Amino acid sequence: MKQFDKHINRQETNCIKYDAIEKRFQVSKDTKPMWIADMDFEVPKFILHDLEKVLQTKVMGYPHITKAVFNSIQFWQKEKYSIEIEKKHIHLMPSVLSSIACCISALSQKDDEVIIQIPVYPPFYDIVKLNNRVLIENKLKKVNDKYEMDFKDLKKKISKKTKLLILCNPHNPIGRSWNKKELQKLSLICKQNNIIIISDEIHSDICFTSFYSMLDIKECENNCVVLNSPTKSFNLAGIKIAYTLCKNEYINSILHKEIKKRYIDELNIFAPIAIKSAYSKKGLIYIQQLTLYLEKNCTFTYEYFNIHLPKLIVIHNEATYLIWLDFSKFELSHNRIFNKLTNEAKVLLNDGKSFAKKEGEKCFRINVALPFDELKISLKNIVKAFS
Ligand SMILES: Cc1ncc(COP(=O)(O)O)c(C=O)c1O
């Protein structure tokens, strides 16, 4: 697929992935960034075309958010996930993280407990603590190099003060798209204990197996807030657009008040255009093509390491372009692994310790959303550095 094979030069384009690495990680400029979750692919032409029309107006005043924006979200949720959602149950937001922060302050009190399932996307830790809630860690368990939810541990961790659980589905960094049985069990435990599930589904569009939204789970439909965005799947993270979905009138109204109070539902001028353009019939076709390409990159990574670096444990991802690599069998210190990756293989991956301090010590997360030819070079360099 030509559109994904194209090499794009992102150096000096004000992007954090390339332009911040020397200062932030003390690595040389020629290190290949395979860390933060954005893709080295151009935004699809049909979206660029619509965004160019905004520039052509030559005025960047306040945007008018029309019903068409909500229609596009309803279209996407229906077409992709068979979810019917009313307009009043959708709130536009600038990002998924600001939506989580809003959910935490709207749906819990100071010193209440919030559960996260680790290893997990690092801001989940801070967002709970910075909002003055108590962070409770429910560790995922590794069974035959696959991660599963540990329900026994979860039940033990729940107390009267536990009010929220932040779910990551599909899960970053271990790549699970949680199955229906797991989600039903989780929902039941949360419901029995009056815990609301905040379901971060930002990675749902790129899935190599079935995906079940929390709104798909009967036991949870009324006990969750789903957060999603087109920014991961269409490479629009710099545009800042996300939304919340909540079918429970009471929870939705409290959340709505919090959003209004903070004035954070005001979007930039590109955001409504970007989401309308992405969440369309063209967008559906694009995601199909992208998913095929990324699945090929993921499978290649898995097989290449299995053949050429069998000591490396590669966690099979069912979704996303992020793969969790476990270097524990190499018996190297964390710093030594990091140095080998950055100085010898010349690749920059995300440090596993930021996803889970202890369990992630010998792990790194690799981003494989880049042209296949570039991926092959990086993987070869990693194999050489560890052989
Ligand atoms: C699971 C997860 N949630 C949220 C985000 C960030 O989303 P946003 O930029 O909309 O805050 C990311 C980005 O990588 C992510 O992986």
Side-chain angles (χ1 to χ4, degrees):
M1 271 172 262
K2 271 197 199 139
Q3 58 183 327
F4 306 118
D5 285 329
K6 185 175 170 187
H7 171 78
I8 49 170
N9 186 0
R10 298 186 65 191
Q11 302 267 8
E12 287 167 39
T13 59
N14 295 318
C15 72
I16 195 169
K17 188 175 186 179
Y18 282 77
D19 296 337
I21 64 170
E22 284 172 282
K23 213 165 171 193
R24 198 167 165 146
F25 301 102
Q26 289 80 51
V27 297
S28 61
K29 212 175 167 179
D30 59 346
T31 313
K32 180 74 177 165
M34 300 176 86
W35 63 296
I36 199 165
D38 71 27
M39 305 187 282
D40 288 347
F41 302 140
E42 284 177 352
V43 170
K45 283 204 168 45
F46 60 92
I47 299 182
L48 290 177
H49 180 71
D50 287 344
L51 292 174
E52 274 158 13
K53 281 196 233 160
V54 178
L55 281 177
Q56 277 159 16
T57 66
K58 300 189 177 172
V59 182
M60 302 292 128
Y62 293 113
H64 175 45
I65 313 295
T66 62
K67 198 165 172 271
V69 173
F70 294 88
N71 287 345
S72 71
I73 295 171
Q74 288 167 313
F75 167 82
W76 195 257
Q77 288 293 323
K78 177 86 180 25
E79 291 296 316
K80 232 161 131 64
Y81 308 114
S82 308
I83 287 169
E84 305 265 6
I85 188 101
E86 290 179 56
K87 179 177 177 283
K88 64 178 181 180
H89 294 147
I90 306 171
H91 299 304
L92 298 171
M93 294 290 279
S95 71
V96 165
L97 284 175
S98 50
S99 312
I100 297 178
C102 235
C103 287
I104 292 174
S105 48
L107 307 173
S108 65
Q109 307 285 325
K110 186 173 179 285
D111 297 330
D112 278 347
E113 294 169 353
V114 180
I115 299 181
I116 61 170
Q117 297 177 303
I118 68 160
V120 79
Y121 179 55
F124 281 16
Y125 290 84
D126 287 343
I127 211 161
V128 173
K129 291 185 208 156
L130 290 171
N131 282 283
N132 298 316
R133 307 302 190 255
V134 178
L135 182 77
I136 303 294
E137 297 176 3
N138 169 219
K139 280 184 201 144
L140 297 171
K141 46 176 191 181
K142 205 153 123 199
V143 184
N144 300 328
D145 294 340
K146 188 177 173 183
Y147 281 86
E148 292 178 3
M149 290 194 197
D150 188 341
F151 294 111
K152 222 166 141 186
D153 177 70
L154 175 64
K155 283 184 199 162
K156 265 197 258 162
K157 299 272 169 73
I158 292 172
S159 82
K160 286 217 161 58
K161 294 206 98 186
T162 317
K163 294 292 182 301
L164 302 173
L165 179 142
I166 307 176
L167 176 73
C168 195
N169 184 30
H171 191 99
N172 171 10
I174 52 86
R176 282 295 314 278
S177 171
W178 302 111
N179 66 39
K180 213 162 189 170
K181 243 183 165 169
E182 290 168 309
L183 293 176
Q184 280 168 334
K185 202 162 172 185
L186 181 75
S187 304
L188 219 64
I189 296 171
C190 288
K191 209 168 176 186
Q192 281 162 353
N193 291 282
N194 295 319
I195 297 169
I196 299 169
I197 298 182
I198 311 301
S199 184
D200 176 343
E201 302 183 358
I202 194 169
H203 291 283
S204 60
D205 290 339
I206 301 162
C207 224
F208 317 127
T209 179
S210 308
F211 169 77
Y212 300 98
S213 166
M214 259 313 174
L215 289 173
D216 226 2
I217 307 297
K218 273 273 152 292
E219 293 81 349
C220 195
E221 199 186 40
N222 256 308
N223 192 42
C224 68
V225 181
V226 164
L227 315 173
N228 214 326
S229 160
T231 55
K232 289 282 153 229
S233 23
F234 292 90
N235 221 14
L236 297 165
I239 288 211
K240 310 301 278 182
I241 172 78
Y243 54 92
T244 66
L245 306 173
C246 178
K247 288 192 177 181
N248 178 311
E249 299 291 346
Y250 179 65
I251 297 175
N252 194 41
S253 70
I254 302 178
L255 183 59
H256 189 204
K257 265 188 215 149
E258 188 71 32
I259 294 170
K260 283 283 159 213
K261 191 172 94 185
R262 291 163 174 247
Y263 287 89
I264 49 168
D265 56 345
E266 294 182 354
L267 304 180
N268 72 76
I269 194 147
F270 295 100
I273 306 297
I275 196 166
K276 265 194 302 182
S277 191
Y279 280 0
S280 61
K281 283 193 178 142
K282 283 184 188 160
L284 286 171
I285 296 166
Y286 174 80
I287 290 297
Q288 262 179 8
Q289 293 166 343
L290 174 72
T291 305
L292 279 178
Y293 194 90
L294 290 174
E295 189 171 19
K296 184 176 139 214
N297 276 9
C298 291
T299 308
F300 181 80
T301 304
Y302 188 73
E303 288 173 355
Y304 188 82
F305 281 142
N306 259 357
I307 295 168
H308 300 286
L309 203 61
K311 260 166 88 178
L312 179 66
I313 303 165
V314 185
I315 303 300
H316 217 135
N317 59 317
E318 299 167 332
T320 86
Y321 43 82
L322 308 166
I323 306 178
W324 189 238
L325 305 176
D326 181 346
F327 291 84
S328 54
K329 285 192 185 160
F330 288 90
E331 289 173 15
L332 297 168
S333 69
H334 170 269
N335 285 354
R336 188 85 188 93
I337 301 168
F338 180 77
N339 286 337
K340 269 184 173 293
L341 287 168
T342 52
N343 297 334
E344 295 177 37
K346 289 278 176 199
V347 293
L348 177 65
L349 314 188
N350 278 90
D351 189 338
K353 282 204 290 189
S354 60
F355 297 85
K357 210 168 176 184
K358 196 156 162 268
E359 295 72 19
E361 206 203 334
K362 301 285 174 77
C363 298
F364 282 81
R365 189 195 74 178
I366 189 169
N367 175 344
V368 298
L370 71 169
F372 185 61
D373 284 348
E374 293 178 28
L375 174 67
K376 278 199 290 192
I377 294 170
S378 293
L379 298 187
K380 203 170 158 192
N381 291 340
I382 296 174
V383 167
K384 201 167 152 210
F386 286 86
S387 298

